[in-house]
């Protein structure tokens, strides 16, 4: 049967293919692939391309050679199936007969081909996220997840999101009985447990107002403790409190309570500001009055002590010379009294009528009177009096008086 015959491999009566012909053609192809030279067909080769055969059957040697070649190719492909590549962000977990064997790092790796070993590739740096209390946006609430009870027996609606990644590939694969990809169901259950525990330890005002940051950090800490206790191989990266509010039926009442609290705080701050402004001024005024009173007391006491000391010294001098001291005291008193007087006394003793007019003093007095007249109505001035001579009386003394000689 020629090689180029379209009916080769079939019996003359169009029956099923001739197995001998098919095997011969396959053997020829393997021989060409492996570098062998097939026998030319003809009478010398009995028309089967192998020559030296008997009854058209291939030789045992060629059949064995073809089987070895097929086995070698299949074996090479089987061994090559054990190569795999692990990215720098990933970690490979090799399973031998279904149980953990080793962890492979990044790079080109090899494991015994199936069914002896297989590898699971786990991405360690991929940031996964879950949502608790809502789906996709805040309007799509899931009340069975978001409603929880506070310490003071108030119901509150909390929505949060959790971001996490894998820190241990072996624990994540073997200890995580998750039904969803990435262990989302297990992490969500841990998040619900943690947030309910944290909210249950705090009052509603703290959760609604200033305690959001503290609630988020405490929830992350409790979640990590739960996941580490069960050896889940998961690390909680961040917990975000997206929304905290009262339930919808009572949200208006809560808003009124919040506004009242804000008004209370506003009035309290205004009162403190007023107190901080008034109290220091009052304290300063009180301190000033105390200092002024203390200065007045010291001045009065010092003046009294000085007058008493001066009087005692005068008494001592008076006892030594009573007449001289009496005249001196008289002259000092008259000088003190008459120094502020506008009257002029003239001494006409011994018949001397010479009159001295202190013009500078009179001009100063006139200027003072003019300034006083501008400020208030001028009072009638008394006429200048001239003292009559009296030989028996003590002559008056004035600094503006000139005695006659």
């Amino acid at each position: 049967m020629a090689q180029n015959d379209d009916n080769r491999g079939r019996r003359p009566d169009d029956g099923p293919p001739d197995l001998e012909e098919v095997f011969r053609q396959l053997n020829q192809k393997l021989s060409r692939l492996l570098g062998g030279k097939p026998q030319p067909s003809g009478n010398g080769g009995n028309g089967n391309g192998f020559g030296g055969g008997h009854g058209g059957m291939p030789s045992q040697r060629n059949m064995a050679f073809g089987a070895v070649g097929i086995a070698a190719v299949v074996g090479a492909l089987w061994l090559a199936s054990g190569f795999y590549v692990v990215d720098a962000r990933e970690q490979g977990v090799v399973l031998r007969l279904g149980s953990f064997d080793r962890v492979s790092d990044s790079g080109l790796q090899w494991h015994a081909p199936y069914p002896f070993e297989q590898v699971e590739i786990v991405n360690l740096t991929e940031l996964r996220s879950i949502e608790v209390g809502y789906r996709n946006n805040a309007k799509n609430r899931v009340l069975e997840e978001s409603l929880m009870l506070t310490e003071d027996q108030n119901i509150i609606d909390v929505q949060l999101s959790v971001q996490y990644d894998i820190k241990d590939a072996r624990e994540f694969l073997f200890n995580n009985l998750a039904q969803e990809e990435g262990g989302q169901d297990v992490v969500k259950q841990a998040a619900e447990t943690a947030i309910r525990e944290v909210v249950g330890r705090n009052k509603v005002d703290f959760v609604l107002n200033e305690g959001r940051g503290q609630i988020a950090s405490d929830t992350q800490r409790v979640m990590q403790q739960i996941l580490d206790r069960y050896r889940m191989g998961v690390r909680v990266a961040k917990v975000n409190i997206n929304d905290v509010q009262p339930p919808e039926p009572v949200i208006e009442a809560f808003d009124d309570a919040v506004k009242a609290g804000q008004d209370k705080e506003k009035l309290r701050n205004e009162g403190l500001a007023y107190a901080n402004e008034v109290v220091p001024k009052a304290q300063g005024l009180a301190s000033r009055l105390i200092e002024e009173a203390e200065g007045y007391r010291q001045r009065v006491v010092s003046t009294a002590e000085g007058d008493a000391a001066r009087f005692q010294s005068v008494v001592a001098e008076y006892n030594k010379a009573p007449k001289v001291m009496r005249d001196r005291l008289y002259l000092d008193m008259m000088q003190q009294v008459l120094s502020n007087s506008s009257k002029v006394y003239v001494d006409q003793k011994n018949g001397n009528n010479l009159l001295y007019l202190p013009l500078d003093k009179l001009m100063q007095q006139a200027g003072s009177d003019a300034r006083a007249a501008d400020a208030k109505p001028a009072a009638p001035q008394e006429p200048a009096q001239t003292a009559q001579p009296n030989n028996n009386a003590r002559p008056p003394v004035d600094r503006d008086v000139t005695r006659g000689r």
Side-chain angles (χ1 to χ4, degrees):
M1 183 180 295
Q3 293 182 357
N4 295 328
D5 189 1
D6 294 335
N7 295 325
R8 61 187 177 182
R10 294 182 178 273
R11 293 185 179 274
D13 55 356
D14 294 333
D18 189 359
L19 296 179
E20 179 182 347
E21 182 65 19
V22 173
F23 186 77
R24 183 183 63 78
Q25 293 176 5
L26 180 60
N27 204 357
Q28 287 179 356
K29 292 179 180 180
L30 291 176
S31 298
R32 286 195 299 269
L33 291 174
L34 298 176
K37 295 181 180 180
Q39 297 290 336
S41 60
N43 295 332
N46 294 327
N48 56 9
F50 283 91
H54 297 280
M57 296 295 293
S59 64
Q60 297 293 333
R61 179 180 178 183
N62 290 335
M63 291 178 61
F65 186 78
V68 171
I70 294 173
V73 172
V74 173
L77 295 176
W78 181 72
L79 293 175
S81 65
F83 287 98
Y84 63 97
V85 177
V86 180
D87 191 76
R89 299 171 299 176
E90 300 174 340
Q91 197 173 50
V93 179
V94 180
L95 308 179
R96 177 172 295 175
L97 298 179
S99 61
F100 173 79
D101 182 68
R102 64 186 181 275
V103 175
S104 58
D105 297 329
S106 60
L108 180 62
Q109 305 290 340
W110 182 85
H111 67 87
Y114 183 83
F116 299 103
E117 291 183 353
Q118 59 181 355
V119 62
E120 295 285 346
I121 304 298
V122 180
N123 193 331
L124 299 181
T125 60
E126 179 184 1
L127 200 61
R128 302 168 172 86
S129 63
I130 61 169
E131 299 169 345
V132 178
Y134 71 102
R135 295 295 182 271
N136 298 327
N137 57 69
K139 295 182 179 180
N140 297 330
R141 298 179 180 274
V142 183
L143 297 181
E144 58 269 16
E145 295 180 0
S146 61
L147 294 180
M148 52 196 69
L149 199 65
T150 61
E151 182 183 9
D152 49 358
Q153 303 299 317
N154 286 305
I155 298 176
I156 195 170
D157 191 343
V158 181
Q159 298 179 2
L160 71 153
S161 61
V162 180
Q163 296 178 347
Y164 67 98
D165 56 7
I166 308 303
K167 67 176 182 179
D168 193 310
R170 177 182 178 182
E171 291 183 353
F172 181 75
L173 291 176
F174 286 91
N175 299 337
N176 190 352
L177 300 178
Q179 298 179 358
E180 297 182 6
E181 183 180 359
Q184 293 185 358
D185 53 341
V186 177
V187 178
K188 180 182 292 186
Q189 293 173 9
E192 291 185 34
T193 303
I195 188 64
R196 292 181 186 277
E197 177 181 347
V198 174
V199 171
R201 293 201 302 255
N202 295 278
K203 298 184 181 297
V204 62
D205 293 335
F206 179 79
V207 178
L208 284 174
N209 300 317
E210 71 274 9
R212 292 195 178 187
Q214 185 66 31
I215 294 295
S217 61
D218 291 346
T219 302
Q220 179 177 353
R221 176 178 53 82
V222 174
M223 275 190 64
Q224 192 64 60
Q225 292 176 356
I226 294 174
L227 295 174
D228 292 343
R229 188 182 308 128
Y230 289 101
R231 302 176 61 186
M232 305 302 295
V234 175
R235 177 176 55 242
V236 180
K238 188 176 182 181
V239 175
N240 297 318
I241 304 296
N242 298 335
D243 189 16
V244 179
Q245 64 180 11
E248 293 184 359
V250 296
I251 190 170
E252 295 182 358
F254 268 88
D255 291 341
D256 294 339
V258 171
K259 291 180 181 178
Q262 293 176 353
D263 293 340
K264 174 185 175 182
E265 191 67 21
K266 177 183 177 181
L267 295 176
R268 178 175 176 272
N269 294 333
E270 291 178 355
L272 290 176
Y274 178 74
N276 293 333
E277 179 182 1
V278 172
V279 171
K281 291 182 179 179
Q283 291 177 349
L285 179 60
S287 299
R288 189 185 69 180
L289 293 177
I290 292 174
E291 295 297 330
E292 290 179 354
E294 183 66 22
Y296 176 76
R297 184 185 69 82
Q298 293 179 358
R299 178 169 60 84
V300 171
V301 171
S302 299
T303 302
E305 291 176 352
D307 292 343
R310 183 172 64 252
F311 180 78
Q312 291 178 357
S313 62
V314 170
V315 169
E317 297 297 330
Y318 180 81
N319 293 329
K320 295 179 181 178
K323 184 177 183 307
V324 174
M325 183 57 63
R326 190 165 46 248
D327 294 341
R328 179 181 175 185
L329 290 175
Y330 176 78
L331 294 176
D332 290 342
M333 179 57 66
M334 293 304 296
Q335 181 179 0
Q336 182 178 358
V337 171
L338 296 178
S339 62
N340 298 323
S341 176
S342 60
K343 297 180 176 62
V344 178
Y345 293 91
V346 178
D347 186 7
Q348 295 180 353
K349 187 178 180 180
N350 300 324
N352 189 357
N353 296 327
L354 180 61
L355 179 63
Y356 169 73
L357 297 177
L359 297 179
D360 55 346
K361 299 294 183 181
L362 294 176
M363 293 177 65
Q364 291 180 0
Q365 184 65 31
S368 300
D369 293 341
R371 287 193 297 270
D374 294 337
K376 61 182 179 178
Q381 297 182 357
E382 296 180 358
Q385 297 180 0
T386 303
Q388 297 296 329
N390 188 359
N391 295 329
N392 297 324
R394 183 181 298 274
V397 178
D398 188 79
R399 61 182 179 181
D400 295 335
V401 175
T402 302
R403 298 183 177 181
R405 298 295 182 184

